[in-house]
């Protein structure tokens, strides 16, 4: 085009604007006029209006066929190459702004409702002809505008009247990401979750395969693709043919783990509660020894116990809580104990649940099939021959039996703040008991149910969503059934939109794990089998392990990189955090390690994870870890904790929101700067170990994170920077960032991912806790030096990772220009 022609073209466009002729709307109407004919006749008031409109459309067609209009085109802002447009720029025209989320991250341009139409043509022959054309276009545009309103109203009405195969009423397909989120979340209902939970409760407590078949059938019917079951033959720790016993040598009284008498008249040998309250993978045999009260089994507690007596081959009476059970078990084994009787102090439990006379089950397995450590249990794998995972005899007991063995006076009760913790009186003599344990191990099959919701733009990037089904017979299935009901309701809501034509950007992988109670065996084995695929493709893990644990406030557990995402989501739902008493408080968002199948993905693969759950919280409460205890089944526990099922629906909506943002946002909602700030917070205020060098490294990590976030992530909000290759490179850097923080080895029961803490109120690196404990016990700082070295290497690795990502973009010719 010649310069004079370009100037005249610009003048023509300006004349159209001055005569109220919106260019982009004209282009839009030109397109819709050719596609709405089937719906016109149902909405127009008379044949005359229809004929007039058709004549106007015909006039417009003839005008567009004149010379100069052959280059007329309609382009979405997301489809126009960044920086390569040859259309002239009119400074008088208001620019189209892209959709930007409140958090500063951008939505997909393909879903942006704003379109820009631009065209070039020779200068008009006269201003009179231009104005005449403008007037005709204005009339055409006005007529088509009203037609569009009528068509839109008709479409909405017909969309609302349509029913999906599962009889859900759905609105018309959403116009943008925000509308899509709203439609999907509104489709998640209390009634739907209640009905699905009822289906799972009707299944047999002992038969895992019936739950697997139900999940397989439901997910397939709802529309997930490639729904299948994966099976693994693994070594399980199982109860013996008769309950384990504890006998008081002085009185010759024999007790079952729940505190009842061993008299055959007072118990049922086939009782699930009595057979399945045991420690999986415990050593077998009989031990006669004195009982030693070690309270919570902390280093200070053990030092005090060793001062008072020789603890070699004694039996420790241990409270659960304050630290992982496996970590305390390792300290007891190192101290020389021969047996352990773990119990739950009623004072550590919420007021709603009294377990004074209930024993429980517990596993000693840190994760996965014990016979194939670190590799999957598939055909051809070598299997180690072992019958237990510890030399200690371990048997969980009830609080009432613990009180008997401690010779503690009175009855402990958890009434408000007046509860008296169980402890051995200073004047009481230690009882001599005979502990008999007859557990066994055997190979059995565990099953996982896996289903895919394929992505359209990045199908090779996975957002994992995991729950569990029942695996330990005789124990409470409330958490497992609740998770299964919620994940199925979320699947139903998402697939309903799939049938409406929507497709997520990334692939969502829905997983229901088997063998969770024995040590997250199903998720470990699946993860080990697909380790390399997951390391390359998995971008996040969303957990539904135990969504409703109590009536307390909402807790969001997230890796530091996803804490901002969790906070954004919980802040959108302020009423979600109100208790049954109507008291509302701020939601908790922390990176405290949690139990469940998230372990392998967050802890061994470094995949960012997030989980929402309701649970009781007391002021100043230490990390409880009481969920490690598997209490006997109670059919009314769900109705007691959440009779209205409102908590279940809330968790489902929060989880659905997290999934949608993780699968749809072009740039992953992973915050590199939050990781750097979290590392600094964990190091500050630690005067017991030399951390000056670590603080300097953390400062360098923060600088790199700020540079990466400002120079690379912030420009991603600019449409000109949304090159798909650049976005892919940016996401690759973000999804691999947490992998730099995997330390090996880690203390037993503690995460290898050092970004997670044991206490949500006192953030610190858990491996430093272990180093301080070793320093107290052995007066040796060797472990401390190793731990500091592991932290130093992790911080340096993460800083180099971000620097390498920055260098990728610095070498990009587009960025240089």
């Amino acid at each position: 085009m010649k310069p004079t022609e370009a100037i005249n073209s610009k003048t023509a466009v300006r004349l159209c604007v001055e005569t109220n002729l919106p260019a982009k709307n004209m282009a839009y109407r030109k397109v819709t006029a050719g596609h709405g004919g089937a719906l016109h006749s149902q909405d127009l008031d008379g044949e005359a209006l229809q004929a007039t409109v058709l004549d106007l459309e015909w006039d417009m067609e003839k005008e567009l066929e004149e010379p100069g209009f052959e280059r007329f085109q309609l382009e979405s802002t997301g489809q126009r190459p960044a920086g390569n447009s040859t259309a002239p720029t009119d400074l008088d025209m208001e620019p189209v702004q892209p959709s930007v989320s409140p958090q500063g991250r951008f939505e997909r341009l393909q879903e942006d409702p704003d379109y820009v139409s631009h065209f070039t043509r020779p200068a008009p022959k006269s201003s009179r002809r231009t104005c005449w054309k403008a007037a005709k276009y204005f009339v055409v545009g006005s007529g088509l505008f009203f037609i569009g309103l009528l068509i839109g109203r008709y479409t909405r009405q017909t969309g609302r009247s349509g029913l999906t195969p599962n009889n859900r009423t759905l609105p018309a397909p959403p116009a943008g990401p925000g509308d899509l989120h709203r439609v999907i979340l509104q489709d998640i209902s209390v009634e739907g979750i209640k009905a699905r939970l009822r289906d799972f409760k009707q299944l047999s407590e002992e038969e895992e395969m019936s739950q697997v078949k139900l999940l397989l059938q439901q997910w397939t019917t709802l529309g997930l693709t490639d729904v299948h079951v994966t099976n693994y033959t693994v070594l399980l720790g199982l109860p013996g043919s008769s309950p384990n016993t504890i006998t008081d040598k002085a009185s010759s009284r024999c007790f079952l783990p729940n505190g009842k008498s061993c008299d055959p008249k007072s118990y049922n040998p086939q009782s699930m509660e009595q057979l399945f309250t045991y420690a999986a993978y415990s050593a077998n045999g009989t031990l006669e020894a004195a009982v030693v009260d070690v309270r919570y089994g902390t280093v200070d507690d053990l030092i005090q116990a060793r001062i008072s007596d020789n603890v070699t081959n004694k039996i420790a009476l241990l409270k659960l809580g304050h630290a992982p059970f496996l970590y305390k078990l390792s300290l007891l084994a190192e101290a020389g104990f021969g047996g352990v009787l773990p119990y739950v102090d009623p004072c550590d439990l919420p007021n709603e649940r009294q377990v004074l006379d209930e024993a429980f089950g517990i596993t000693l397995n840190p994760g996965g099939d014990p016979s194939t450590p670190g590799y999957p249990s598939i055909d051809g794998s070598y299997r180690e021959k072992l019958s237990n995972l510890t030399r200690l005899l371990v048997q969980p007991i009830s609080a009432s039996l613990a009180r008997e063995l401690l010779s503690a006076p009175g009855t402990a009760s958890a009434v408000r703040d007046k509860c008296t913790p169980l402890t051995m009186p200073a004047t009481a003599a230690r009882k001599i008991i005979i502990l008999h344990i007859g557990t066994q191990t055997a190979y059995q099959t565990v099953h996982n149910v896996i289903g895919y919701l394929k992505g359209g733009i990045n199908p090779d990037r996975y957002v994992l969503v995991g729950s569990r089904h029942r695996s330990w017979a005789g124990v409470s299935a409330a958490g497992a059934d609740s998770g299964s009901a919620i994940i199925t309701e979320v699947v139903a809501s998402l697939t309903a939109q799939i049938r409406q034509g929507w497709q997520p950007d990334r692939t969502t992988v829905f997983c229901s794990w088997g063998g969770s109670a024995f040590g997250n065996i199903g998720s470990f084995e699946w993860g080990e089998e697909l380790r390399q695929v997951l390391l390359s493709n998995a971008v996040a893990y969303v957990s539904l392990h135990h969504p409703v644990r109590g009536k307390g406030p909402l807790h969001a557990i997230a890796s530091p990189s996803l804490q901002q995402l969790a906070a954004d989501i919980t802040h959108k739902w302020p009423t979600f955090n109100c208790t049954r008493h109507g008291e509302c408080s701020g939601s908790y968002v922390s990176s405290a390690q949690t139990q469940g199948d998230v372990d392998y993905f967050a802890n061994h693969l470094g995949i960012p994870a997030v989980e929402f759950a309701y649970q009781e919280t007391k002021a100043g409460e230490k990390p409880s870890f009481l969920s490690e205890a598997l209490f006997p089944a109670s059919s009314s526990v769900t109705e007691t904790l959440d009779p209205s099922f409102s908590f279940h629906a809330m968790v489902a909506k929060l989880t659905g929101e997290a999934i949608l943002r993780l699968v749809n946002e072009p740039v992953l909602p992973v915050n590199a700067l939050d990781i750097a700030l979290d590392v600094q917070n964990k190091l500050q205020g630690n005067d017991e170990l030399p951390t000056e060098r670590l603080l300097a490294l953390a400062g360098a990590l923060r600088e790199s994170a700020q540079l990466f976030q400002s120079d690379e992530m912030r420009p991603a909000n600019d449409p000109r920077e949304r090159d798909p290759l650049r976005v892919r490179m940016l996401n690759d850097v973000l999804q691999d960032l947490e992998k730099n923080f995997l330390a090996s080895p880690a203390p037993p029961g503690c995460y290898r991912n050092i970004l997670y803490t044991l206490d949500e109120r006192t953030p610190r690196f858990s491996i430093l806790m272990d180093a301080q404990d070793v320093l107290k016990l052995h007066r040796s700082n060797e472990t401390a030096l190793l731990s500091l070295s592991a932290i130093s290497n992790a911080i340096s690795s993460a800083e180099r990772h971000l620097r390498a990502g920055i260098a990728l973009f610095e070498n990009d010719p587009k960025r240089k220009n």
Side-chain angles (χ1 to χ4, degrees):
M1 178 184 297
K2 297 180 182 179
T4 56
E5 293 176 339
I7 295 174
N8 291 333
S9 177
K10 178 179 177 179
T11 304
V13 175
R14 185 171 300 171
L15 285 172
C16 291
V17 174
E18 293 173 351
T19 55
N20 297 323
L21 178 59
K24 68 175 183 178
N25 289 341
M26 182 178 68
Y28 175 75
R29 293 166 192 143
K30 166 69 174 67
V31 174
T32 55
H35 296 284
L39 300 177
H40 286 327
S41 60
Q42 300 180 34
D43 293 287
L44 299 183
D45 296 330
E47 296 180 357
L49 177 60
Q50 182 178 3
T52 301
V53 171
L54 291 176
D55 289 340
L56 290 174
E57 290 180 354
W58 175 249
D59 290 341
M60 184 178 177
E61 293 286 350
K62 292 196 298 181
E63 289 291 342
L64 293 180
E65 290 173 358
E66 291 183 2
F69 278 85
E70 67 277 5
R71 298 185 62 186
F72 188 95
Q73 53 186 335
L74 173 67
E75 287 190 8
S76 163
T77 56
Q79 296 168 339
R80 185 173 57 197
N84 294 328
S85 175
T86 59
T89 303
D90 189 345
L91 299 179
D92 295 334
M93 298 182 67
E94 182 180 355
V96 177
Q97 298 296 330
S99 301
V100 180
S101 68
Q103 294 76 31
R105 302 181 177 93
F106 58 86
E107 306 291 345
R108 294 200 317 280
L109 283 176
Q110 290 86 343
E111 294 178 355
D112 198 310
D114 296 326
Y115 288 88
V116 177
S117 64
H118 57 87
F119 59 91
T120 59
R121 61 170 181 165
K125 297 179 180 178
S126 67
S127 60
R128 181 179 178 182
R129 179 178 177 85
T130 301
C131 294
W132 175 247
K133 290 181 180 179
K136 286 203 298 182
Y137 294 156
F138 178 77
V139 173
V140 173
S142 299
L144 293 178
F145 174 77
F146 289 107
I147 293 174
L149 289 179
L150 294 174
I151 293 174
R153 183 171 182 178
Y154 173 81
T155 303
R156 285 195 300 270
Q157 290 174 348
T158 56
R160 287 172 183 163
S161 63
L163 294 178
T164 61
N166 58 353
N167 293 327
R168 291 171 171 269
T169 302
L170 294 173
D179 293 335
L180 172 67
H181 289 201
R182 183 165 57 253
V183 168
I184 290 178
L185 298 182
Q186 287 177 349
D187 201 32
I188 296 173
S189 66
V190 168
E191 293 75 16
I193 295 175
K194 219 184 258 190
R196 300 186 192 285
L197 189 60
R198 187 164 51 246
D199 293 339
F200 288 107
K201 281 187 174 183
Q202 293 173 354
L203 301 177
S204 171
E205 287 282 348
E206 294 79 23
E207 183 57 47
E208 179 193 6
M209 201 58 202
S210 61
Q211 305 160 55
V212 171
K213 290 179 179 178
L214 178 59
L215 284 166
L216 183 68
Q217 180 266 327
Q218 288 184 341
W219 290 7
T220 302
T221 302
L222 289 172
L224 291 186
T225 58
D226 190 22
V227 185
H228 60 274
V229 177
T230 61
N231 304 315
Y232 300 96
T233 301
V234 299
L235 187 69
L236 298 183
L238 302 173
S241 57
S242 61
N244 301 328
T245 58
I246 300 97
T247 304
D248 183 350
K249 186 176 181 180
S251 63
S252 298
R253 294 179 60 192
C254 177
F255 298 95
L256 296 172
N258 60 5
K260 295 180 180 179
S261 172
C262 296
D263 185 353
K265 296 180 181 179
S266 63
Y267 78 96
N268 179 5
Q270 302 302 321
S271 169
M272 288 293 178
E273 177 183 350
Q274 293 160 1
L275 282 177
F276 289 88
T277 53
Y278 71 105
Y281 307 102
S282 168
N284 298 325
T286 302
L287 175 64
E288 178 181 331
V291 174
V292 179
D293 182 14
V294 296
R295 296 182 175 85
Y296 290 99
T298 65
V299 168
D300 293 335
D301 291 334
L302 294 181
I303 291 175
Q304 186 64 34
R306 290 168 65 176
I307 291 175
S308 60
D309 195 2
N310 181 11
V311 299
T312 303
N313 287 330
K314 298 295 194 300
I315 299 175
L317 201 55
L318 173 70
K319 294 181 184 182
L320 290 184
H322 295 195
F325 176 64
L326 293 183
Y327 179 71
K328 295 192 286 188
L329 200 65
S330 67
L331 295 179
L332 293 173
E334 184 180 352
F337 282 92
V340 182
L341 299 177
Y343 70 99
V344 175
D345 194 313
C347 296
D348 294 331
L349 286 170
N351 298 339
E352 289 75 12
R353 182 78 190 270
Q354 296 297 326
V355 293
L356 190 65
D357 298 316
E358 292 184 5
F360 54 91
I362 198 167
T363 183
L364 311 184
N365 181 13
D369 178 12
S371 67
T372 58
Y375 52 95
S377 296
I378 57 178
D379 292 342
S381 295
Y382 172 76
R383 301 182 182 275
E384 298 183 4
K385 296 179 180 180
L386 72 166
S387 57
N388 55 70
L389 296 179
T390 177
R391 67 169 184 81
L392 298 174
L393 297 177
V394 183
Q395 173 58 53
I397 62 174
S398 66
S400 60
L401 180 55
R403 186 188 64 224
E404 175 72 24
L405 298 178
L406 290 169
S407 301
T411 301
S413 61
V415 180
R416 298 187 183 275
D417 297 327
K418 300 179 181 180
C419 185
T420 302
L422 292 174
T423 185
M424 181 177 289
T427 58
R430 290 178 176 170
K431 289 192 175 183
I432 307 297
I433 66 171
I434 302 172
L435 174 62
H436 173 73
I437 295 179
T439 56
Q440 57 188 3
T441 55
Y443 284 97
Q444 291 189 5
T445 302
V446 298
H447 314 273
N448 300 327
V449 184
I450 311 293
Y452 291 82
L453 193 60
K454 293 297 180 64
I457 297 178
N458 295 296
D460 62 332
R461 290 295 180 261
Y462 304 151
V463 174
L464 309 176
V465 184
S467 65
R468 60 186 168 117
H469 47 264
R470 301 176 227 159
S471 56
W472 189 305
V475 304
S476 177
D481 289 349
S482 294
S484 296
I486 290 175
I487 195 173
T488 304
E489 181 72 1
V490 172
V491 169
S493 181
L494 292 174
T495 53
Q497 289 305 308
I498 293 292
R499 289 190 291 272
Q500 297 284 331
W502 169 72
Q503 187 176 24
D505 286 1
R506 301 179 182 92
T507 295
T508 311
V509 185
F510 292 95
C511 315
S512 182
W513 308 115
S516 295
F518 291 95
N520 307 316
I521 292 180
S523 57
F524 262 73
E525 297 310 308
W526 185 80
E528 287 171 348
E529 184 177 10
L530 299 177
R531 178 181 177 84
Q532 296 306 317
V533 174
L534 296 175
L535 283 172
S536 300
N537 296 358
V539 299
Y541 183 91
V542 183
S543 176
L544 281 167
H545 179 73
H546 198 164
V548 181
R549 307 166 191 169
K551 298 181 179 180
L554 174 71
H555 285 245
I557 308 297
S559 55
S561 63
L562 292 182
Q563 280 198 4
Q564 184 61 51
L565 171 69
D568 291 344
I569 293 173
T570 55
H571 290 165
K572 289 179 61 176
W573 308 89
T575 59
F576 277 21
N577 214 33
C578 298
T579 65
R580 64 197 182 284
H581 304 299
E583 301 173 352
C584 299
S585 59
S587 59
Y588 294 93
V589 180
S590 72
S591 295
Q593 73 177 58
T594 183
Q595 285 75 48
D597 294 284
V598 66
D599 185 347
Y600 184 78
F601 305 99
N603 185 27
H604 293 267
L605 299 182
I607 297 173
V610 63
E611 176 184 12
F612 300 98
Y614 279 89
Q615 62 187 56
E616 296 292 342
T617 301
K618 299 179 181 179
E621 181 186 12
K622 295 288 185 181
S624 66
F625 292 93
L626 296 183
S627 58
E628 295 177 326
L630 305 171
F631 281 99
S634 174
S635 59
S636 63
V637 65
T638 301
E639 288 74 9
T640 302
L641 293 177
D642 188 18
S644 66
F645 284 83
S646 57
F647 286 175
H648 285 74
M650 294 170 187
V651 172
K653 292 178 186 292
L654 292 169
T655 302
E657 176 83 10
I659 295 170
L660 287 171
R661 290 189 58 180
L662 287 166
V663 299
N664 277 347
E665 290 195 1
V667 172
L668 290 170
V670 173
N671 198 310
L673 183 57
D674 283 353
I675 292 182
L677 295 174
D678 180 80
V679 170
Q680 283 188 320
N681 291 336
K682 287 182 171 68
L683 291 172
Q684 291 174 348
N686 195 328
D687 300 327
E688 301 180 25
L689 295 171
T691 57
E692 294 81 2
R693 181 174 179 275
L694 292 179
L695 285 171
L697 292 173
L701 175 62
R702 178 175 178 174
E703 291 179 2
S704 297
Q706 287 175 327
L707 182 62
F708 182 80
Q709 202 139 312
S710 62
D711 284 10
E712 310 308 336
M713 294 187 67
R714 182 187 55 78
N717 290 316
D718 189 338
R720 295 169 299 180
E721 299 288 341
R722 292 186 197 173
D723 181 272
L725 179 59
R726 290 178 56 81
V727 172
R728 179 75 174 221
M729 292 165 56
L730 181 63
N731 286 335
D732 287 346
V733 175
L734 291 174
Q735 80 177 57
D736 290 338
L737 183 55
E738 282 199 27
K739 295 178 175 63
N740 295 281
F741 293 93
L742 299 180
S744 182
C750 299
Y751 273 15
R752 288 182 55 212
N753 189 333
I754 63 176
L755 294 176
Y756 288 84
T757 64
L758 297 179
D759 188 348
E760 63 183 20
R761 291 175 174 79
T762 310
R764 64 171 177 174
F765 292 106
S766 57
I767 59 177
L768 290 183
M769 172 204 69
D770 179 53
Q772 292 168 333
D773 288 347
V774 172
L775 185 61
K776 289 180 181 179
L777 283 173
H778 304 292
R779 304 297 178 185
S780 170
N781 64 351
E782 181 178 356
T783 302
L785 294 176
L786 290 173
S787 299
L788 292 173
S789 177
I791 296 174
S792 173
N793 291 334
I795 298 174
S796 297
S797 178
E799 199 271 339
R800 289 192 296 269
H801 179 83
L802 287 177
R803 284 289 179 182
I806 295 172
L808 286 175
F809 294 97
E810 287 177 347
N811 295 329
D812 187 352
K814 293 182 181 180
R815 169 53 63 86
K816 291 182 178 180
N817 294 332

